[in-house]
């Protein structure tokens, strides 16, 4: 069975160029934190290694260790897993 020995292709998971909902913007003056009109957060991925994202609304830049995930642990794990897959 030659096929058995075939190298398993490593699947490269592409990071989405924007990350929505999963991450919170810590900037209190950011429009995404507006109580009157809550807006879905959206971050642009500036760099993948190391991860650097930028809020599209206030343009604040976050590094991986500064990222605040939207409360739920499961989501956080999912995102971290996704990020670490790269
Ligand atoms: Zn922001």
């Amino acid at each position: 069975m030659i096929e058995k020995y075939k190298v398993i292709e490593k699947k490269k998971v592409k990071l989405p160029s924007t990350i929505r909902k999963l991450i919170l913007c810590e900037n209190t003056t950011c429009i995404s934190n507006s109580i009157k009109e809550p807006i879905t957060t959206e971050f642009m991925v500036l760099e993948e290694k190391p991860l650097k994202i930028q809020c599209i609304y206030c343009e604040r830049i976050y590094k991986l260790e500064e990222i605040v995930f939207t409360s739920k642990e499961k989501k956080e794990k999912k995102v971290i897993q996704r990020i670490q897959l790269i």
Side-chain angles (χ1 to χ4, degrees), residues 13-44:
V13 179
K14 259 199 165 181
L15 206 71
S17 52
T18 57
I19 301 171
R20 303 178 74 184
K21 290 181 186 175
L22 296 170
I23 297 165
L24 293 174
C25 182
E26 273 204 304
N27 185 356
T28 49
T29 59
C30 179
I31 198 168
S32 70
N33 286 319
S34 162
I35 299 161
K36 281 183 184 174
E37 293 174 62
I39 298 171
T40 307
T41 61
E42 193 165 343
F43 293 85
M44 245 172 53

Side-chain angles (χ1 to χ4, degrees), residues 46-58:
L46 299 177
E47 280 175 42
E48 294 184 350
K49 273 184 177 180
L51 190 75
K52 208 190 267 182
I53 58 167
Q54 183 178 34
C55 176
I56 63 159
Y57 302 111
C58 67

